[in-house]
Amino acid sequence: MAHAAAHAEHHKSYLEGGGVWSWLTTLDHKRIGIMYLFTTIAALFVGGVLAMMIRIELFSPGHTIMGPDTYNKVFTLHGAIMIFMFLIPVIPAALGNFFLPIMLGAKDVAFPRLNLASYYIFVGGAVLALFSLIHGGIDTGWTFYTPYSIRTAGSVILVTLAVFIMGFSSILTGLNFIVTIHKLRAPGLTVHRLPLFVWAVYATSIIQVLATPVIAITMLLLTMERVLQIGIFDPKLGGDPVLFQHFFWFYSHPAVYIMIVPGMGVISEVLTVFSRKKISGYQAIAYSSLGIAFVGFLSWGHHMFISGQSPLANLTFSFLTMLVAIPTAIKVFNWTATLYKGSIWLTTPMLYALAFIFLFTIGGLTGLFLASLSVDVHLTDTYFVVAHFHYVMVGGNMMAFLAGLHYWWPKMFGKMYSEFWGRISWALIFLGFNVTFMIQFYLGQVGMPRRYYDYLPQFTTGNIISSIGSWMIGLGFIIMTVYLTYSLLKGEKAPDNPWASKSLEWETATPPTLHNFEKTPVVTHDPYEYGVVEVGGGVKLGVKS
Amino acid sequence: MTGLLFQMGLPQVSTIAPSVDRLYSFLFVISLISFVGTIGALIYFIVRYRRSINHPDKTPYIEGHPMLETAVMVGFFIITMIFFYWGWVDYKKIRKSPPNALEVNVMGRQWAWEFEYTNGRKMLNEVVVPKGQNVKFIMGSSDVLHSFFIPEFRVKQDVVPGTYEYLWFNATQTGEFQVYCAEYCGTSHSGMLAKLKVVEPEQYRKWQKMWEWEKQLGLSPTSEATAAEKGTAPSPTGLSSAATAPAGTKPAETTAMASPVERGQKLFKEKGCNACHTVTGEKLVGPSLKGIFGHEIELEGGQKVLVDENYIRETIVDPNRKIVKGYQPLMPTFKGTLSDDEINSLVAYIKSLGT
């Protein structure tokens, strides 16, 4: 009897069993991933509301719904929340936490308790950031440039400390993942059989561990400058305000790769499954993640071309920035090549993955404009930059997240969602995104600076168009919230492998049990063996083209 | 030709603008080709290779396209290196101010732009320059970071408190052009606008001459020293002419007591600089300042530095960091005792001692 009961216990999905307390004290990487998912999505909502407020204010010149000081706080918080509380953590900590161990054939991460600690550290930092909202917020921009951030009233210290704390969540998760990938791989899982999502998370974890301490120290120094007047950044005390920019961007440039590289990992997974075809250039894509991580550390000064830094520095950073285009282009080439002679299945996750390629290509190409020194002099600090980074971060990372969310949704929750509403929502978000941000390239190029509460009349039409686009995006997300919530509550039960994916995580139960696998799997091939016919005796026949 | 095709949506009003626009057009054309190529292939593939109901899993086993991939990457690398090199060459032109330019001091502050000509004429949120002449702005900030941006000229430069930054241009058209602040600086960042007016050189000359005559004739306040030199007495009651309301001045302008050079000359004596530095070439405790501006000097330790505005400013506030070879570290610091305006004046005076 006891044996049967234990056996039944063993087959429960990770979602069942225990109340709130068992969730809050869980050591299960899947539950931690889900908690991260809901926390980051909550942050996305707050950041999204702030975005809508910005676009309403900018619908017409002059005062529309708020004054300049409020506007400055709104755009600051929009950036800080979206970057630190959504874009950086979401794919690694939510989807990564859930799927990394399973993709390795493991029961959990290397350090489950540390994993839970990472989550609570993240929540602690987030609570502090939201507390600062009540305290009046900050108006420095998410970049906290000195001397303005030293002088301005507002809860600068609260927010810098929040960033400091959240940084540790990032460092510890990165550490955990690196050890997990090195040490907990199932037998037969050689590095060249790893899913590309794992390669991506691995490269990201290295960046997280090496770069995040720099922003931590920078935030501490800024706090010390405000409180103790140590004179490191404040020119009135003999400090150098541009030094802050170097410290800040030394982390924040690699940070954009923390954001995008996991997203690229998701795209590699989704494109393969829905093309029913082996990914093109597996090794090129795998190693390009490491290449991007490495070069990403060398190019921070491209945020500072007109800061007054030397022409030699500018020359060096411009050159190094160009280099990162190559590993990036390798990925885009291979993703597109994967579709060649595939069997393309246009499900919601696939639509998001294709939207990624479309939008990220635009974002990446416009980065080349900004990396070219003479053109950057004109374009920097204008809406051209705003458009560029939204194309790569939202058009890139957000689309990748939505692709991963919709791809893995059945596995995580055991439910299906409405494919019809998924596509409607996708169309609104994809089209709405282009309406919002394409015009901003033009606005920037004809001279509209960024972080502008008010603007001259000639920029009105462009701003109206942009704001209308934001309403399309908003509607798309509202529809998504409705159909995904419906799926959780009343959705059709998902089959074990609705997409017929050959990746290891789909061999678990749907949703997975506590220990993921009944027995440790033995891996004999990579997860991309589509278009291959087994003829027995382990022999594979492929139709080589 | 390509410059006309995809020119930036703004007039080209400076000598560098057409070149910047040509690179922009090249970037645009290459980006368009890359985008159409990639997305064109993508759309073609998803249509042509649509999943078939009968054979949903029938696909060839292709590990990659190494030859095509390598060719595309090599081509792409070459193109990015062209972008880099072209951008660098034009950037050097933008960054390096030509010699003998018409200099104007610019001070950014929350939330306005102040301009001061070498003759002492000050303007607020408006500056007038001649067409077809090299103009160099020597810029600072009195509080936080700002950025001086003239879109139609394709130039922009951050202004940093505590240093001087330079921006130069040569305007090719007359007219009125918009200046923006492009570095977030607080409440009225978007309200920190100025107008740059380009006029014919003859018009500019007259415009300055008129003001200078008015100043000399006592129609505007002027320094006692200048009035005495010209033989024009201040008002008969002996009251300082500073009390005289300036006649005929435009609303955008304020008038100065004296030009920056004159103010600097006065400060040089008042603050005791002349105790250690001569302006005649004679060496005292400190080096003579005659003719040093624009030259390279050798420091203790063998390093060479250029004597520019930043070096002079730095030496005044932090004297013992870059000591001239053969001298002792004896200069006291004037950090905190001299205002930004006073430092600007001293710099202007030292520049006027010849190069």
Side-chain angles (χ1 to χ4, degrees):
Chain A
M1 272 299 279
H3 179 77
H7 204 59
E9 184 78 21
H10 212 51
H11 287 283
K12 251 184 355 200
S13 107
Y14 78 97
L15 284 167
E16 300 165 44
V20 177
W21 185 250
S22 87
W23 274 82
L24 294 177
T25 55
T26 185
L27 297 179
D28 180 3
H29 67 98
K30 298 182 290 297
R31 286 190 169 189
I32 294 174
I34 297 299
M35 291 199 290
Y36 264 114
L37 184 68
F38 282 102
T39 312
T40 51
I41 287 179
L44 173 65
F45 269 102
V46 176
V49 165
L50 292 166
M52 300 300 283
M53 286 167 68
I54 291 174
R55 288 295 351 146
I56 294 175
E57 174 54 44
L58 293 179
F59 187 80
S60 63
H63 184 290
T64 312
I65 54 165
M66 59 180 105
D69 286 322
T70 308
Y71 178 80
N72 294 337
K73 290 178 186 177
V74 171
F75 82 67
T76 299
L77 282 164
H78 166 71
I81 289 175
M82 287 302 210
I83 289 177
F84 292 114
M85 291 171 55
F86 177 71
L87 287 165
I88 286 175
V90 71
I91 296 177
L95 299 175
N97 250 318
F98 199 105
F99 289 104
L100 178 70
I102 304 181
M103 284 178 168
L104 299 177
K107 288 203 185 75
D108 209 304
V109 291
F111 306 117
R113 268 179 209 83
L114 192 67
N115 206 7
L116 185 66
S118 285
Y119 175 68
Y120 280 116
I121 292 169
F122 178 73
V123 170
V127 162
L128 204 59
L130 291 169
F131 186 60
S132 82
L133 253 174
I134 305 167
H135 247 258
I138 59 164
D139 69 338
T140 57
W142 85 276
T143 49
F144 306 108
Y145 275 14
T146 56
Y148 187 80
S149 57
I150 301 171
R151 312 231 196 290
T152 187
S155 32
V156 176
I157 294 175
L158 269 176
V159 178
T160 53
L161 285 179
V163 171
F164 178 83
I165 292 170
M166 280 191 279
F168 281 98
S169 167
S170 198
I171 294 169
L172 295 173
T173 298
L175 213 88
N176 217 338
F177 284 178
I178 291 172
V179 178
T180 307
I181 293 169
H182 276 281
K183 288 295 193 182
L184 297 188
R185 296 199 305 274
L189 189 47
T190 59
V191 291
H192 286 155
R193 290 177 181 165
L194 285 170
L196 288 167
F197 180 67
V198 175
W199 276 97
V201 169
Y202 183 72
T204 306
S205 300
I206 295 176
I207 308 176
Q208 279 174 266
V209 169
L210 292 178
T212 315
V214 177
I215 193 74
I217 299 168
T218 309
M219 293 293 102
L220 270 188
L221 286 172
L222 179 59
T223 302
M224 284 162 74
E225 184 76 268
R226 270 182 82 94
V227 173
L228 301 172
Q229 280 101 50
I230 53 174
I232 184 168
F233 305 126
D234 192 342
K236 287 207 203 309
L237 301 170
D240 181 357
V242 179
L243 182 64
F244 178 87
Q245 294 180 40
H246 282 289
F247 286 168
F248 180 84
W249 288 113
F250 189 83
Y251 163 77
S252 299
H253 188 74
V256 314
Y257 296 111
I258 296 175
M259 297 183 236
I260 197 67
V261 170
M264 292 169 159
V266 172
I267 298 303
S268 296
E269 299 301 320
V270 172
L271 273 181
T272 307
V273 172
F274 296 100
S275 311
R276 314 304 304 162
K277 188 162 161 272
K278 185 174 180 69
I279 187 100
S280 168
Y282 171 90
Q283 288 203 24
I285 297 184
Y287 289 107
S288 69
S289 294
L290 294 176
I292 290 173
F294 176 65
V295 178
F297 272 101
L298 305 175
S299 58
W300 78 90
H302 65 231
H303 299 271
M304 298 166 58
F305 283 152
I306 60 155
S307 64
Q309 74 182 359
S310 73
L312 177 63
N314 282 346
L315 165 86
T316 312
F317 285 121
S318 171
F319 173 76
L320 290 168
T321 304
M322 292 293 176
L323 293 186
V324 85
I326 306 304
T328 309
I330 285 175
K331 288 185 194 265
V332 175
F333 176 88
N334 279 305
W335 288 327
T336 311
T338 303
L339 300 169
Y340 173 68
K341 292 197 172 167
S343 174
I344 313 296
W345 191 9
L346 291 175
T347 58
T348 304
M350 185 58 161
L351 288 171
Y352 279 113
L354 294 171
F356 175 99
I357 298 179
F358 184 103
L359 299 170
F360 180 76
T361 300
I362 295 175
L365 289 169
T366 52
L368 293 172
F369 286 69
L370 296 168
S372 308
L373 285 165
S374 59
V375 171
D376 185 74
V377 169
H378 178 74
L379 296 176
T380 194
D381 284 326
T382 68
Y383 260 84
F384 192 96
V385 181
V386 177
H388 159 73
F389 67 66
H390 281 93
Y391 263 89
V392 283
M393 295 210 281
V394 183
N397 210 22
M398 171 81 85
M399 296 295 134
F401 166 64
L402 293 174
L405 185 70
H406 285 79
Y407 170 54
W408 279 313
W409 184 271
K411 178 58 67 176
M412 289 193 285
F413 299 112
K415 300 278 177 67
M416 298 301 283
Y417 50 81
S418 161
E419 187 58 23
F420 173 77
W421 287 108
R423 291 176 186 186
I424 300 272
S425 184
W426 169 85
L428 279 167
I429 292 174
F430 178 63
L431 290 168
F433 178 85
N434 282 302
V435 173
T436 310
F437 291 105
M438 185 62 79
I439 192 74
Q440 290 186 6
F441 285 122
Y442 175 75
L443 281 173
Q445 187 238 86
V446 292
M448 181 174 170
R450 55 183 292 200
R451 295 174 164 172
Y452 259 37
Y453 161 72
D454 190 12
Y455 50 79
L456 294 175
Q458 67 257 35
F459 302 123
T460 309
T461 310
N463 274 284
I464 291 176
I465 293 172
S466 185
S467 296
I468 292 173
S470 75
W471 301 335
M472 292 169 69
I473 301 177
L475 181 60
F477 274 105
I478 290 173
I479 294 176
M480 190 187 299
T481 309
V482 171
Y483 75 72
L484 287 180
T485 309
Y486 183 84
S487 160
L488 283 177
L489 299 173
K490 290 198 181 158
E492 182 194 313
K493 188 169 180 323
D496 268 354
N497 193 352
W499 320 122
S501 168
K502 296 192 186 219
S503 190
L504 188 58
E505 75 272 17
W506 291 95
E507 291 182 23
T508 61
T510 301
T513 57
L514 180 62
H515 294 304
N516 304 331
F517 297 93
E518 294 303 308
K519 282 195 324 218
T520 305
V522 176
V523 178
T524 52
H525 56 78
D526 70 39
Y528 307 114
E529 297 294 285
Y530 299 90
V532 174
V533 177
E534 306 258 355
V535 286
V539 177
K540 291 184 295 197
L541 278 182
V543 181
K544 288 216 197 255
S545 195
Chain B
M1 206 39 213
T2 32
L4 282 169
L5 249 186
F6 299 110
Q7 189 179 314
M8 297 218 217
L10 282 177
Q12 297 170 335
V13 185
S14 70
T15 49
I16 198 69
S19 195
V20 174
D21 283 11
R22 270 194 294 274
L23 175 54
Y24 181 85
S25 306
F26 181 59
L27 281 156
F28 190 93
V29 167
I30 298 294
S31 299
L32 196 63
I33 294 172
S34 307
F35 179 75
V36 168
T38 309
I39 302 307
L42 184 138
I43 294 175
Y44 176 70
F45 293 157
I46 68 180
V47 170
R48 169 79 177 78
Y49 302 111
R50 219 39 207 278
R51 175 182 170 94
S52 87
I53 309 289
N54 299 323
H55 305 283
D57 287 337
K58 189 174 177 196
T59 58
Y61 188 80
I62 303 175
E63 288 179 315
H65 306 257
M67 299 250 283
L68 181 61
E69 184 178 353
T70 310
V72 169
M73 291 313 135
V74 168
F76 196 55
F77 178 72
I78 292 170
I79 293 200
T80 56
M81 287 300 106
I82 294 174
F83 293 156
F84 158 69
Y85 185 71
W86 188 346
W88 164 243
V89 165
D90 276 354
Y91 173 74
K92 275 192 295 187
K93 292 183 204 153
I94 295 174
R95 187 79 187 254
K96 183 140 175 60
S97 315
N100 305 317
L102 192 154
E103 291 181 355
V104 184
N105 275 347
V106 181
M107 205 63 165
R109 62 170 168 83
Q110 288 167 316
W111 288 282
W113 295 102
E114 290 172 348
F115 301 90
E116 183 174 10
Y117 294 90
T118 45
N119 61 8
R121 184 174 194 172
K122 284 190 174 176
M123 303 189 79
L124 187 66
N125 290 329
E126 196 182 307
V127 63
V128 181
V129 299
K131 182 181 94 169
Q133 215 179 316
N134 294 334
V135 176
K136 178 177 173 179
F137 286 167
I138 301 167
M139 314 195 291
S141 163
S142 51
D143 42 37
V144 297
L145 296 177
H146 300 279
S147 195
F148 195 87
F149 178 33
I150 327 171
E152 283 152 308
F153 288 51
R154 313 290 189 273
V155 291
K156 185 190 286 118
Q157 176 60 50
D158 279 4
V159 297
V160 182
T163 59
Y164 294 114
E165 301 293 342
Y166 310 106
L167 180 147
W168 85 273
F169 59 82
N170 186 317
T172 53
Q173 289 174 40
T174 56
E176 214 176 85
F177 305 103
Q178 190 63 52
V179 174
Y180 301 92
C181 175
E183 185 60 58
Y184 174 70
C185 53
T187 310
S188 233
H189 166 55
S190 54
M192 201 167 145
L193 307 169
K195 281 276 191 260
L196 180 88
K197 291 187 180 156
V198 181
V199 298
E200 293 292 344
E202 190 48 37
Q203 211 184 327
Y204 174 78
R205 217 183 49 82
K206 281 195 196 133
W207 179 74
Q208 290 286 35
K209 270 275 169 277
M210 281 282 290
W211 182 84
E212 285 160 15
W213 287 339
E214 283 173 11
K215 193 176 89 172
Q216 285 166 19
L217 292 170
L219 289 172
S220 342
T222 183
S223 74
E224 295 278 280
T226 321
E229 274 175 65
K230 302 289 176 209
T232 56
S235 68
T237 59
L239 287 168
S240 161
S241 52
T244 315
T249 49
K250 301 186 195 97
E253 295 188 48
T254 59
T255 48
M257 278 287 289
S259 72
V261 171
E262 285 162 344
R263 297 201 302 273
Q265 187 176 29
K266 202 151 162 283
L267 283 166
F268 195 78
K269 294 192 192 92
E270 274 174 21
K271 300 291 177 182
C273 313
N274 57 355
C276 302
H277 298 280
T278 68
V279 299
T280 53
E282 188 195 338
K283 285 183 203 174
L284 299 179
V285 181
S288 173
L289 303 182
K290 177 176 171 175
I292 60 161
F293 191 82
H295 290 264
E296 273 201 340
I297 51 165
E298 200 182 335
L299 305 177
E300 286 291 338
Q303 205 195 349
K304 286 205 194 239
V305 288
L306 174 67
V307 179
D308 61 3
E309 289 91 347
N310 270 316
Y311 175 76
I312 297 175
R313 184 198 181 99
E314 202 189 314
T315 311
I316 293 173
V317 297
D318 202 355
N320 296 318
R321 285 186 75 221
K322 293 179 183 163
I323 302 178
V324 178
K325 194 178 170 109
Y327 291 90
Q328 300 298 311
L330 293 172
M331 179 170 165
T333 173
F334 289 85
K335 182 156 74 183
T337 56
L338 287 176
S339 72
D340 277 342
D341 197 59
E342 286 172 331
I343 296 178
N344 290 349
S345 306
L346 282 165
V347 170
Y349 174 60
I350 294 169
K351 279 168 80 165
S352 76
L353 297 175
T355 49

